[in-house]
C-alpha cells in the first residue's frame, strides 16, 4: 500500500544520456537511453505526471552546442581595426571587409563569401593608405552595388572605393584634411534617401552629405573641449533622424536637428553617469521598449555597462554586464532567438569572445565563453548571417575567424501566436508543477535562454498534462512539436 509523501521527502530525478564510448570521450551525449533514479518516493498522486528529463552534461568546451568551433579565415591577417559584413557581389551572401593598421599592415581588404560556409582568399584593395583606422560600406552612388569607404589615421584622409560589378578598380581620395580620424560609418543622416558618410575626427564630427553622382558636401561640427574616441549612430529620441553618441572623457550626445548637428546636448549627456573615459560605445534596444539603449566601456570603472533609454534620449544606469580591464568592441544580436537582444563582447586583455544572455527584461547572465582568441589582441567583433540560415553568426579577430550559430532551439521565424493558443502553460499553486493544456498531442522540449536543453521530447496528450518540473525561477523557451508544425513559447516561471 502506498503511503503519503511527507513534507520533508523530496524527489530527485537524474538522467544520464549515453551514446557510445567515443561520444563520451568527445563529451557529446545523445538521447539514446535514459537511466532514471528516484529517491525517497513512496507514492505518486492520483494524476498523470510526466517526469522531466534533466540533462547533466559534462562539457569541457565552452560552445554549449550554440556555436560551431571557430573557423580561421586567414591566420596571417593581423592588426584588424574593423570588420564590416555586407554583400559586395550581389550573390545574396555577406562578404567581409577589413581594415588593418598594426604590424605595418596598412591594408583594406575584401574576403568574398563562397556560399559554402567559407571565405575566399584575401583580396587587398590598397596598401597605400597609411594606418587605416576603419571602413564602412554602402551604395554611395546608388547603382545597386555596395561601395567601400575607409579612413587613414596618419594621412588624415578619407577614401572611396566604388564597386564596379563586384570589383574595386579605383581608389578615390575624398578628403585629405582630417585630424586623426577615429571611425567611419555610412548612413542616411538627412533622410533624403541617399547614404551619407560620417567620420568621427579626433575633435570633430564630419558629415559628407551625399549630393548624388559621386558628389558630397562636407559639413564639420567642431568642438574645443573634448577628444573623441568612439561613436555610435542611432535615433535615440524617436523623431526619425539618426543622432550621434560619442565616447570621450565623458559620453556626449549630439542630437540630429533635421539633418544637422550643433553642440552636444548637455542634459542628455549628463544623464549618462560614466565617471571615466569611454573608448567603446554601442546602441541597441536591450529592454524591448522600442528605444535605443546604450552600452559603454567605462575605462575608469573597468566595466561594460548599459543604460536604459527613456524613449526621449535620456539615459539611466541599469546594469554592469561585466567587469573587465578593457573591452574595445561589443555587438548585439538575438543569439538564442528568444526575442531579446544579447550582447557579444571581445575582451581585450583576456583574449576571449564571450556573450551575455538577455532574459528579456534587460538583465544579463554571467559571461558565456564562445571561444578563446589571443590575449591583448582580441579587439574586434561583429555579427551577420553568413550562411543564410536565419541565425546570426560571429566574426572576430584576432585570429581572424568566424563561428557559425547552431542554435539548438532552432527558431527560424516568430511563432504563430494564433496556433500557439492551442497550448496554455500554468504553474501550480506550490510552483512545483507545470500544467499544460494541449488541444492536440505533441512533444515538448524546454530550453533556457542560453539554448541549453533542460528537457527533451516529453509527450503531451490532448487535454490537461501535469508535469513535475522543479525549474528555477527564470525565463524558458517551451518548444511544442506537433505532427505538422513546431511552435515556440517564451515562459517566465516564478
Amino acid at each position: 500500500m502506498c503511503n503519503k509523501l511527507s513534507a520533508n521527502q523530496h524527489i530527485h530525478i537524474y538522467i544520464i544520456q549515453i551514446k557510445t564510448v567515443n561520444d563520451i570521450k568527445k563529451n557529446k551525449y545523445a538521447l539514446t537511453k535514459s537511466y532514471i533514479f528516484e529517491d525517497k518516493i513512496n507514492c505518486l498522486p492520483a494524476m498523470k505526471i510526466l517526469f522531466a528529463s534533466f540533462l547533466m552534461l559534462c562539457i569541457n568546451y565552452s560552445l554549449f552546442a550554440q556555436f560551431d568551433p571557430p573557423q580561421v579565415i586567414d591566420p596571417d591577417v593581423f592588426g584588424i581595426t574593423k570588420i564590416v559584413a555586407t554583400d559586395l557581389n550581389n550573390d545574396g551572401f555577406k562578404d567581409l571587409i577589413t581594415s588593418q593598421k598594426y604590424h605595418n599592415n596598412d591594408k583594406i581588404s575584401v574576403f568574398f563569401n563562397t556560399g559554402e560556409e567559407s571565405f575566399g582568399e584575401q583580396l587587398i584593395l590598397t596598401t597605400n593608405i597609411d594606418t587605416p583606422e576603419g571602413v564602412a560600406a554602402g551604395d554611395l552612388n546608388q547603382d545597386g552595388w555596395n561601395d567601400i569607404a575607409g579612413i587613414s589615421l596618419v594621412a588624415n584622409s578619407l577614401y572611396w572605393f566604388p564597386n564596379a560589378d563586384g570589383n574595386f578598380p579605383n581608389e578615390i581620395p575624398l578628403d585629405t584634411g582630417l585630424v586623426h580620424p577615429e571611425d567611419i560609418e555610412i548612413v542616411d543622416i538627412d533622410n533624403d534617401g541617399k547614404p551619407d558618410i560620417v567620420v568621427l575626427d579626433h575633435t570633430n564630427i564630419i558629415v559628407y552629405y551625399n549630393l548624388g553622382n559621386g558628389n558630397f558636401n562636407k559639413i564639420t561640427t567642431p568642438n574645443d573641449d573634448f577628444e573623441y574616441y568612439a561613436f555610435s549612430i542611432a535615433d535615440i529620441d524617436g523623431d526619425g533622424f539618426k543622432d550621434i553618441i560619442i565616447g570621450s572623457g565623458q559620453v556626449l550626445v549630439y542630437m540630429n536637428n533635421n539633418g544637422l548637428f550643433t553642440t552636444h546636448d548637455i542634459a542628455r549627456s549628463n544623464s549618462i553617469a560614466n565617471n571615466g573615459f569611454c573608448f567603446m560605445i554601442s546602441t541597441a534596444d536591450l529592454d524591448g521598449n522600442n528605444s535605443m539603449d546604450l552600452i559603454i566601456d567605462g575605462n575608469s570603472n573597468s566595466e561594460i555597462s548599459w543604460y536604459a533609454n527613456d524613449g526621449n534620449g535620456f539615459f539611466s544606469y541599469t546594469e554592469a554586464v561585466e567587469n573587465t580591464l578593457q573591452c574595445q568592441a561589443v555587438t548585439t544580436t538575438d543569439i538564442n532567438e528568444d526575442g531579446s537582444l544579447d550582447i557579444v563582447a571581445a575582451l581585450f586583455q583576456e583574449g576571449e569572445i564571450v556573450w551575455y544572455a538577455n532574459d528579456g527584461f534587460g538583465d544579463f547572465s554571467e559571461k558565456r565563453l564562445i571561444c578563446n582568441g589571443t590575449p591583448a589582441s582580441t579587439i574586434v567583433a561583429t555579427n551577420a548571417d553568413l550562411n543564410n540560415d536565419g541565425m546570426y553568426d560571429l566574426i572576430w579577430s584576432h585570429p581572424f575567424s568566424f563561428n557559425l550559430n547552431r542554435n539548438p532551439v532552432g527558431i527560424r521565424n516568430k511563432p504563430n501566436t494564433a496556433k500557439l493558443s492551442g497550448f496554455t502553460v500554468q504553474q501550480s499553486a506550490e510552483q512545483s508543477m507545470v500544467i499544460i493544456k494541449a488541444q492536440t498531442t505533441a512533444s515538448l522540449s524546454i530550453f533556457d535562454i542560453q539554448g541549453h536543453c533542460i528537457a527533451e521530447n516529453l509527450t503531451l496528450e490532448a487535454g490537461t498534462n501535469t508535469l513535475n518540473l522543479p525549474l528555477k525561477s527564470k525565463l524558458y523557451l517551451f518548444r511544442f512539436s506537433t505532427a505538422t508544425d513546431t511552435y515556440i513559447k517564451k515562459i517566465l516561471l516564478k
Side-chain angles (χ1 to χ4, degrees), residues 229-232 245-252 272-283 286 293-307 317 319-331 343-350 356 378-379:
Y229 308 119
F231 75 158
S232 183
I245 307 94
I246 296 176
S248 179
Q250 68 176 90
V251 178
L252 305 171
I272 305 163
N274 178 35
N275 297 321
F277 286 90
C278 177
F279 298 100
M280 182 279 296
I281 194 160
S282 182
T283 47
L286 298 179
D293 306 306
L294 190 64
I295 310 166
I296 66 170
D297 167 31
N299 187 56
S300 296
N301 291 332
S302 299
E303 64 184 25
I304 303 171
S305 304
W306 82 273
Y307 293 72
Y317 176 83
E319 181 184 6
V321 179
E322 180 66 275
N323 292 314
T324 180
L325 291 177
Q326 191 176 13
C327 174
Q328 295 189 357
V330 299
T331 183
I343 296 176
V344 178
L347 302 185
F348 174 71
Q349 295 290 350
E350 296 89 337
Y356 308 88
T378 301
I379 59 175

Side-chain angles (χ1 to χ4, degrees), residues 74-84 96-111 122-135 150-154 379-380 397-398 400:
D74 191 329
D76 297 322
V77 176
F78 295 95
I80 291 179
T81 56
K82 193 170 182 180
I83 303 170
V84 174
L96 301 178
I97 312 164
T98 61
S99 54
Q100 301 168 250
K101 75 171 185 178
Y102 301 111
H103 309 293
N104 297 317
N105 280 293
D106 292 346
K107 300 181 184 76
I108 291 179
S109 305
V110 168
F111 298 81
Q122 181 180 24
L123 174 63
I124 299 173
L125 301 190
T126 182
T127 58
N128 297 325
I129 297 179
D130 192 353
T131 317
E133 185 71 16
V135 287
I151 51 175
S152 166
L153 179 66
V154 174
I379 59 175
V380 183
S397 181
H398 179 76
F400 184 34

Side-chain angles (χ1 to χ4, degrees), residues 235-241 243 311-312:
D235 179 9
I236 63 172
D237 61 346
D239 67 349
F241 286 88
D243 311 297
N312 294 310

Side-chain angles (χ1 to χ4, degrees), residues 432-454:
S432 62
M433 301 285 187
V434 175
I435 302 169
I436 298 178
K437 295 181 180 179
Q439 290 184 358
T440 184
T441 58
S443 67
L444 169 66
S445 296
I446 302 173
F447 302 84
D448 64 15
I449 60 171
Q450 286 80 36
H452 304 158
C453 183
I454 304 300

Side-chain angles (χ1 to χ4, degrees), residues 78-310:
F78 295 95
I80 291 179
T81 56
K82 193 170 182 180
I83 303 170
V84 174
T86 190
D87 186 2
L88 293 172
N89 55 4
N90 288 352
D91 67 348
F93 288 91
K94 294 287 194 305
D95 309 301
L96 301 178
I97 312 164
T98 61
S99 54
Q100 301 168 250
K101 75 171 185 178
Y102 301 111
H103 309 293
N104 297 317
N105 280 293
D106 292 346
K107 300 181 184 76
I108 291 179
S109 305
V110 168
F111 298 81
F112 284 106
N113 192 329
T114 66
E116 299 178 350
E117 299 185 347
S118 63
F119 290 86
E121 294 182 354
Q122 181 180 24
L123 174 63
I124 299 173
L125 301 190
T126 182
T127 58
N128 297 325
I129 297 179
D130 192 353
T131 317
E133 185 71 16
V135 287
D139 187 4
L140 293 172
N141 53 6
Q142 297 186 293
D143 64 351
W145 298 82
N146 285 321
D147 308 304
I148 298 173
I151 51 175
S152 166
L153 179 66
V154 174
N156 296 316
S157 300
L158 167 66
Y159 299 87
W160 173 28
F161 300 85
N163 189 336
D165 299 335
N167 298 295
F168 300 88
N170 297 315
E171 176 183 321
I172 302 174
L174 292 180
D175 195 348
T176 58
L178 303 178
V179 180
H180 302 303
E182 300 284 350
D183 203 355
I184 181 173
E185 294 290 347
I186 295 178
V187 296
D188 186 2
I189 289 293
D190 54 359
N191 288 355
D192 67 348
K194 296 187 292 293
D196 309 303
I197 302 173
V198 185
V199 172
L200 183 70
D201 222 12
H202 195 57
T203 56
N204 305 302
I205 300 170
I206 304 175
V207 179
Y208 300 83
Y209 292 92
N210 195 336
L211 304 178
N213 300 317
N215 297 307
F216 299 89
N217 180 32
K218 175 183 175 181
I219 295 182
T220 301
T221 303
N223 89 87
D224 297 322
D225 301 318
F226 304 99
E227 293 182 339
Y228 297 154
Y229 308 119
F231 75 158
S232 183
I233 302 176
D235 179 9
I236 63 172
D237 61 346
D239 67 349
F241 286 88
K242 291 180 175 61
D243 311 297
I244 298 177
I245 307 94
I246 296 176
S248 179
Q250 68 176 90
V251 178
L252 305 171
V253 177
Y254 287 81
M255 303 304 294
N256 187 333
N257 184 12
N258 294 318
L260 297 173
F261 299 93
T262 55
T263 186
H264 71 283
D265 187 298
I266 295 176
R268 286 182 171 89
S269 300
N270 288 343
S271 71
I272 305 163
N274 178 35
N275 297 321
F277 286 90
C278 177
F279 298 100
M280 182 279 296
I281 194 160
S282 182
T283 47
D285 182 9
L286 298 179
D287 51 10
N289 67 347
N290 297 316
S291 61
M292 300 300 285
D293 306 306
L294 190 64
I295 310 166
I296 66 170
D297 167 31
N299 187 56
S300 296
N301 291 332
S302 299
E303 64 184 25
I304 303 171
S305 304
W306 82 273
Y307 293 72
N309 187 343
D310 68 356

